Amino acid sequence: MRTQNTCLTVAVLVGSLSALSAAEISGKVKLNGTPPPEASMKMTDPVCSKERGAETISSRHYVVGADKGLANVLVYIKEGAAPKPATGEAALLDQTKCEYQPYVMGLQAGQKLKIRNSDPTLHNVNAQPKINKGFNIGQPVKGMVAEKTFDKPEVFVRFKCDVHPWMFAYVGVLDHPYFAVTDKDGSFKISGVPAGKYTLEMIHPKCGAKTMEVTLADSDIKTLDVTLDVPAAK
Amino acid sequence: MTEPHHPWLTRYLVLTAVATLGLICLGGLVTSHGAGMAVPDWPTTYGYNMFFFPISQWVGGIFYEHTHRLVASGVGLMTLVLTVWIWVVERRRWMRWLGVIAALAVMLQGVLGGLRVIAMQAGLGVVHATLAQLFLVLVSALALFSSRSWMSRGSPTGTICVPRWTVQLYGTVTGLIVLQLVLGALMRHQHAGLAIPDFPAAYGRLWPAMDAESISRYNQLRMEATDLNPITAGGVALQMAHRVTAGLVLLGVAGLAWSALRRWGWRQRLSQLSVGWLGLILGQVALGAATIWTNKSADITTAHVAVGSLSLVTGAMLLLACGRVSRRLVPAASEGAQPGWDETTPGRALLA
């Protein structure tokens, strides 16, 4: 019994120490260039029209905030991080006002993904991975929740609703927890990263990807400012 | 002995062919709206028996997919009726078996449609679309074979001698249309929207770049409002193949119409039908261009599918009708004598 307690104490101490010594990467992703206008879409479901009120539906390819900060960029360690089993709580992909929320999200391989229908109308959830196993499920009733997992890393897995063709979202599946998605101002923060040398990737569904090398010492707080370009029409 | 003619059977077969064309149009609407997977279960619809699925829930993409399933059930039933009807009244054994093949084809078609949804295999959608076109040709051919002119051992083309090489040309061009419809089905079932968004140029060039960097740029530049799959090099190549085959079909049909007019004149029915066929192909080319210019508007795209089906049926019926009266030109037996026509007609022997 005493040995067990000692082991537990040591494990907690090691865990706390590694958490204390873990580094952090934060920063901002900005958009360079003027994005084309978003495409708008006619709603074909009266329930969606009612749910959204005066709000129209349009694509969300470029969500640009103050100071040209670009939202919906998945920032993650592409190389250098050891795979880690998922321990965190389930992530949520919501269908609300006939739109996926969030539009871009990160998920750990093996982590539970809750997919919820918060609309008083039918949705189907059609996940279309290339590496993982796809699925297409119906959620005809408001409040329905389905739980799914993906086993292998894959950036991005696209989700779509065939009932409402304007509804699509992207989920980046990774084999470690070192990722973040930029918020409406383009800011991101990845915490708890062990010291080491890494390749960091910033990927956006339209702007594509950019990588950079990052070296972190214990308890480092690294701030990065990255710019992604609007694709040039050649 | 002349076979008895059953005018109501002919009318029913024509009606089934029209219903099948309507069903193909509905299928076109399903893919045009990207709604093929809007109902994730089969043969049920969101857990309901499909015939009792509440109308209030026929929303968005479900409306197209569910309507397609219901009309398909109707066409399936019509086909089973025609199979029994033909079996009961027909004395021509091959005609009876063609009726049975129609029943088997419609059942296979239903299962393929269901499997496409359950197995989530876009490839099955291509087979489903192609079989639909072939089924339409089969039902139309049954209608032709049961028609009064065919039963009286004549042909809708009238009493003319059609050289066999002409029949072979009709066959080749009809085969090209089948190929063109398969290419079209492959494009549609990629659900990638327009792999090439401009026409007559392709990304501003005569032949578009298909390297990985260019494909990535095409995807980045596209501002899609719907859930389209990414553009691939294969998709771009497919659309180019579709354009080239369209040019070949147009040339082939124009050549056959011109040849028919020159040989038999405007009053001959074969000439009129061939010119009508050319009209369909010209309309189809215009609809193909409009599909691109309207960014794949669902109505235009579906009209493109419908006129494609009509072009195939017209070609296939012309081929059968010409084959019925085809002759081989026999060289002159002796110097100074006139060449003549071989009176054995393989088409007649086969389908007598």
Side-chain angles (χ1 to χ4, degrees), chain A residues 116-210:
Chain A
R116 183 173 69 197
N117 180 6
S118 299
D119 286 325
T121 190
L122 309 93
H123 290 298
N124 76 300
V125 185
N126 188 352
Q128 303 183 303
K130 296 271 187 297
I131 301 167
N132 286 283
K133 194 166 180 282
F135 57 86
N136 182 25
I137 51 168
Q139 291 195 321
V141 180
K142 183 177 179 175
M144 277 182 89
V145 178
E147 274 192 1
K148 296 282 176 184
T149 53
F150 293 105
D151 298 334
K152 301 175 189 79
E154 183 172 354
V155 176
F156 286 110
V157 174
R158 198 171 60 126
F159 278 68
K160 60 185 272 197
C161 171
D162 303 87
V163 181
H164 307 106
W166 60 84
M167 283 178 68
F168 53 99
Y170 299 90
V171 177
V173 184
L174 301 156
D175 58 5
H176 58 69
Y178 313 121
F179 58 82
V181 176
T182 56
D183 62 16
K184 60 183 171 52
D185 295 322
S187 303
F188 69 91
K189 186 164 95 176
I190 305 171
S191 307
V193 187
K197 196 176 172 189
Y198 303 107
T199 303
L200 198 68
E201 181 164 274
M202 279 67 59
I203 185 165
H204 180 265
K206 278 293 161 192
C207 298
K210 195 174 247 185

Side-chain angles (χ1 to χ4, degrees), chain A residues 31-32 35-39 59-64 70-74 103-104 156 158 168 170 202-210 228-232, chain B residues 192 215-231:
Chain A
L31 182 68
N32 177 38
E38 295 294 333
S59 58
R60 294 179 280 174
H61 298 304
Y62 297 95
V63 179
V64 185
L70 181 63
N72 297 324
V73 179
L74 177 69
Y103 179 58
V104 175
F156 286 110
R158 198 171 60 126
F168 53 99
Y170 299 90
M202 279 67 59
I203 185 165
H204 180 265
K206 278 293 161 192
C207 298
K210 195 174 247 185
L228 292 180
D229 299 323
V230 172
Chain B
I215 296 296
S216 168
R217 199 176 67 253
Y218 299 157
N219 278 303
Q220 288 181 329
L221 289 173
R222 184 170 66 168
M223 291 295 285
E224 69 273 26
T226 58
D227 47 8
L228 298 175
N229 287 335
I231 297 168

Side-chain angles (χ1 to χ4, degrees), chain B residues 41-269:
Chain B
D41 50 340
W42 180 86
T44 50
T45 298
Y46 284 92
Y48 284 87
N49 176 318
M50 79 160 103
F51 301 106
F52 300 109
F53 183 62
I55 293 178
S56 61
Q57 295 185 11
W58 297 19
V59 293
I62 297 172
F63 173 79
Y64 302 104
E65 171 63 10
H66 188 62
T67 313
H68 181 58
R69 290 185 187 191
L70 290 180
V71 175
S73 305
V75 169
L77 189 65
M78 286 179 83
T79 308
L80 294 181
V81 169
L82 80 80
T83 302
V84 174
W85 194 340
I86 290 173
W87 192 267
V88 171
V89 302
E90 265 293 340
R91 276 195 262 169
R92 294 170 294 178
R93 184 178 286 186
W94 57 266
M95 186 76 175
R96 286 172 157 198
W97 285 108
L98 279 182
V100 172
I101 289 171
L104 292 174
V106 87
M107 285 188 267
L108 174 66
Q109 181 69 344
V111 172
L112 277 173
L115 285 180
R116 190 269 172 266
V117 169
I118 292 170
M120 298 196 295
Q121 291 294 323
L124 284 176
V126 177
V127 181
H128 185 60
T130 307
L131 183 58
Q133 304 285 351
L134 298 178
F135 178 75
L136 174 63
V137 170
L138 175 59
V139 177
S140 305
L142 283 169
L144 176 68
F145 298 151
S146 75
S147 66
R148 190 181 298 278
S149 60
W150 193 276
M151 301 290 282
S152 59
R153 294 182 178 261
S155 166
T157 53
T159 50
I160 53 167
C161 289
V162 181
R164 284 198 191 146
W165 64 265
T166 306
V167 179
Q168 284 161 0
L169 271 179
Y170 275 99
T172 305
V173 175
T174 305
L176 271 178
I177 294 178
V178 173
L179 171 69
Q180 182 70 336
L181 290 174
V182 172
L183 289 174
L186 281 166
M187 284 162 60
R188 291 172 65 72
H189 288 266
Q190 284 191 336
H191 301 290
L194 291 167
I196 304 171
D198 51 341
F199 181 83
Y203 286 102
R205 299 158 60 159
L206 192 62
W207 198 266
M210 292 187 215
D211 57 284
E213 194 191 329
S214 302
I215 296 296
S216 168
R217 199 176 67 253
Y218 299 157
N219 278 303
Q220 288 181 329
L221 289 173
R222 184 170 66 168
M223 291 295 285
E224 69 273 26
T226 58
D227 47 8
L228 298 175
N229 287 335
I231 297 168
T232 60
V236 175
L238 257 180
Q239 199 188 118
M240 289 311 289
H242 194 63
R243 290 182 185 197
V244 170
T245 312
L248 292 175
V249 169
L250 179 60
L251 279 177
V253 175
L256 284 168
W258 177 76
S259 160
L261 279 174
R262 202 166 141 257
R263 188 183 293 267
W264 295 294
W266 172 248
R267 287 183 179 279
Q268 180 50 244
R269 205 182 295 167

